[in-house]
Amino acid sequence: MPELPEVETVRRGIGPHVQGRRIARVVVREARLRRPIPADLAARFAGVLVTDIVRRGKYLLFETPAGWLILHLGMSGSLRLVGAAQPPGKHDHVDLELDDGRLLRFCDPRRFGLLLWTREPPVHHPLLAGLGPEPLDESFTGAYLYEKAQGRRLAVKSLIMDSRIVVGVGNIYASEALFRARIRPDRAAGSLGRRDCDRLVESIKIVLGEAIAAGGTTLRDFVDGQGRPGYFRMQLQVYGRGGEACPVCARPLDSARIGQRSSFFCRRCQK
DNA sequence: CCGGACGCCTGTCGGC
DNA sequence: TGCCGACAGGCGTCCG
């Protein structure tokens, strides 16, 4: 579900309500996520202060004096602030009870998500150590992407979805950014010129920025920290629109599977 | 090293 | 109406 804009939307939504509060109690109803929730997590974080919530790629990181919580929403996860009286649903696996009585509730039907903790700053954690630059950071440039693409026969769409190259670009925004950059998603990455890479990097930044401004994309079930959907879906140009008219040239949009993921593009506009 | 396939889970949707 | 396969916003691992 959540790509970078959705995770950032959640962070912005819950941050002001959680930073500076203590976690009164942690309730784990289902520990079997992508990896098991550590058995000592609940005891370790009971009563501790949350000093900050930051995002790295699609990870949410809760800073506390007892260490960091590392949360990933996987494909179907959501994190919502709810009242203490809200009964948990079938897939509400974890509650972080706050000291104001509210609950930060982690729901994840497919259980591809993750909740871990680490004592060291999480940049050193094995899951985060190898991550590439943030797409909205100044260090993510056309020159950087061009260098990374050299000699690669991989489809450019797969390249920009590789978190070692750049974090946060998932299946929706990869198709959208490539359309905006007028580059076919199945082009071999190494065939891109410097100008292509400049346009692609710029397009990724614009698409992600606009998606954050719209509160993310809700296709079926994404909701922010307050349970609200995101509205970027209305601005999607190609994702999920195979067969519909290209918004630029009106030719029917193409769909294809690239790297086992559904992909959408216009073969006339994108080269 | 690289690229592709697979599996982890549950829910939903379309076709028959 | 029911069944069954395909597919879904991610990502680590394995294999050739």
Side-chain angles (χ1 to χ4, degrees):
Chain A
M1 162 207 342
E3 304 181 33
L4 185 148
E6 290 72 40
V7 178
E8 179 63 18
T9 295
V10 169
R11 189 192 72 81
R12 292 182 183 185
I14 65 173
H17 301 279
V18 178
Q19 284 166 27
R21 306 227 77 102
R22 286 178 189 280
I23 298 169
R25 196 161 69 110
V26 180
V27 177
V28 177
R29 291 181 206 85
E30 175 57 84
R32 295 173 302 166
L33 304 185
R34 193 171 101 214
R35 287 158 59 160
I37 297 174
D40 58 356
L41 185 147
R44 181 168 192 94
F45 287 87
V48 308
L49 182 70
V50 178
T51 51
D52 203 4
I53 303 179
V54 299
R55 180 190 55 73
R56 175 75 175 106
K58 298 172 190 168
Y59 291 92
L60 282 177
L61 309 169
F62 293 66
E63 185 191 37
T64 84
W68 295 75
L69 289 173
I70 301 175
L71 182 75
H72 195 290
L73 298 176
M75 200 93 129
S76 59
S78 64
L79 191 62
R80 298 180 57 183
L81 269 174
V82 301
Q86 278 277 328
K90 186 177 178 185
H91 302 297
D92 291 334
H93 304 316
V94 181
D95 286 342
L96 301 180
E97 296 185 13
L98 304 177
D99 59 5
D100 64 356
R102 290 194 291 178
L103 314 174
L104 196 55
R105 179 161 278 172
F106 179 33
C107 175
D108 185 9
R110 290 176 75 180
R111 289 194 272 126
F112 287 175
L114 205 60
L115 179 60
L116 302 173
W117 71 271
T118 177
R119 178 170 267 303
E120 303 302 315
V123 287
H124 299 130
H125 191 278
L127 285 173
L128 286 87
L131 294 180
E134 288 288 327
L136 298 176
D137 196 272
E138 289 178 1
S139 64
F140 182 56
T141 64
Y144 165 85
L145 186 64
Y146 181 68
E147 188 234 311
K148 291 294 184 185
Q150 288 309 296
R152 303 289 301 269
R153 307 178 79 167
L154 185 72
V156 59
K157 176 166 180 272
S158 300
L159 185 78
I160 61 174
M161 290 177 65
D162 182 341
S163 63
R164 295 166 299 185
I165 302 295
V166 59
V167 296
V169 181
N171 200 38
I172 294 178
Y173 299 115
S175 278
E176 293 297 312
L178 286 158
F179 176 74
R180 179 177 263 273
R182 306 190 305 279
I183 297 167
R184 275 181 66 122
D186 55 358
R187 278 261 306 268
S191 76
L192 298 186
R194 249 311 292 277
R195 292 298 180 90
D196 294 322
C197 290
D198 286 346
R199 279 206 321 285
L200 181 51
V201 165
E202 190 61 22
S203 298
I204 289 170
K205 290 175 189 281
I206 290 171
V207 166
L208 294 181
E210 290 180 354
I212 291 171
T217 298
T218 297
L219 287 185
R220 33 186 346 113
D221 53 11
F222 168 73
V223 289
D224 70 8
Q226 274 72 237
R228 297 173 302 221
Y231 295 101
F232 193 70
R233 182 178 188 173
M234 301 190 305
Q235 296 176 60
L236 293 178
Q237 304 285 293
V238 293
Y239 185 84
R241 297 187 183 280
E244 295 181 30
C246 169
V248 171
C249 77
R251 185 189 189 284
L253 290 168
D254 300 274
S255 62
R257 285 195 77 81
I258 299 170
Q260 279 83 251
R261 312 300 299 277
S262 59
S263 310
F264 303 90
F265 62 100
C266 174
R267 67 176 62 203
R268 183 182 291 162
C269 294
Q270 294 170 256
K271 301 294 182 192

